[in-house]
Amino acid sequence: GLIGKAITDLCHEKGISVNYLTTDKSKIKNENNYQGFYWEPEKNELDANCFEGVKAIINLAGASIARKWTKAYKEKILTSRVDSLRTLHTAIKNLNPKERISFISASAIGIYPNSFTDFYTEKETNVDASFLGDVSEIWEREIDRFQELNCTVAKIRIGLVLSSEGGALPNIANPVRRYLGASFGSGEQWQSWIHVNDIARMFVFAMENNLSGVYNGVAPNPVTNKKMVTELAKVLNKPLFLPNIPKFAMRLILGEMSYLLFVSQRVSSKKIEKKGFN
């Protein structure tokens, strides 16, 4: 995926070899510093050779949330995260590693409650009363189980990842390019964003510094949805003249997934900065 590719590129720049897991046998490569291994998390199957020489595991597995949330797809969003973690847990348990393994897993800022006023740090214990909140809570519970093994466990709660290569940014920019740019709802909902290169660097930083605990994967300056759209219009040199798009309209088009456009989570990056990450 988008973040995995950026992490791999960064590791190779640093001379770190990467083994990767894929459910698609056609994507398996066998190069000096880049080796693919097959796994099938739904069946709890994994090629144990993937662990040879491995000192750190980065887990990014999980189906995209940016698709219509049908009942079947909601199930896939959850099981893709849980099954992959359980497959890894079983494999590492059977491996019984003598040396401590650094286990760094993605989570999401979707765990934080929807709020226009709160500023969330990793100490927050309340969970958003939504499908995303539920998924994030179950996801993190599965990640915590790796503490039973010989692993140092870090969770990185990823915000809105910005990249011209994919993810959210092209989807936000395209309507602006077509003179259809507008804020959603009040436009005052907070969006805690981060550039793809920074989130990749954060995962590698956590790995190199053997971090444990929870860290927010966001930039220091969250912006409102209105500010985000206004900045994009400025950069693309396009006018904004349409009225804000109401919730009911997006609900008709996207169903429950429209929640992503209106949820507000203002999230702090101070904890990882205090560890020395810039």
Side-chain angles (χ1 to χ4, degrees), residues 142-175:
E142 289 294 330
I143 297 165
D144 289 340
R145 290 180 62 230
F146 285 81
Q147 291 168 0
E148 305 159 3
L149 309 174
N150 198 11
C151 293
T152 304
V153 179
K155 295 177 283 193
I156 297 181
R157 291 174 175 165
I158 302 173
L160 180 70
V161 177
L162 300 185
S163 165
S164 57
E165 304 297 311
L169 186 60
N171 292 328
I172 303 169
N174 285 339

Side-chain angles (χ1 to χ4, degrees), residues 113-118 186-190 262-266:
N114 179 18
S115 173
F116 286 88
T117 54
D118 289 335
S186 68
E188 297 305 313
Q189 64 272 34
W190 289 99
F262 300 95
V263 67
S264 178
Q265 283 137 339
R266 190 162 64 115

Side-chain angles (χ1 to χ4, degrees), residues 168-223:
L169 186 60
N171 292 328
I172 303 169
N174 285 339
V176 177
R177 274 200 185 92
R178 294 171 185 161
Y179 301 93
L180 298 171
S183 302
F184 292 105
S186 68
E188 297 305 313
Q189 64 272 34
W190 289 99
Q191 297 188 308
S192 297
W193 60 276
I194 187 165
H195 190 277
V196 65
N197 291 349
D198 281 329
I199 195 67
R201 285 176 50 243
M202 197 178 284
F203 273 92
V204 174
F205 179 86
M207 177 181 73
E208 290 180 324
N209 291 278
N210 208 29
L211 297 188
S212 62
V214 187
Y215 297 90
N216 290 327
V218 296
N221 48 336
V223 294

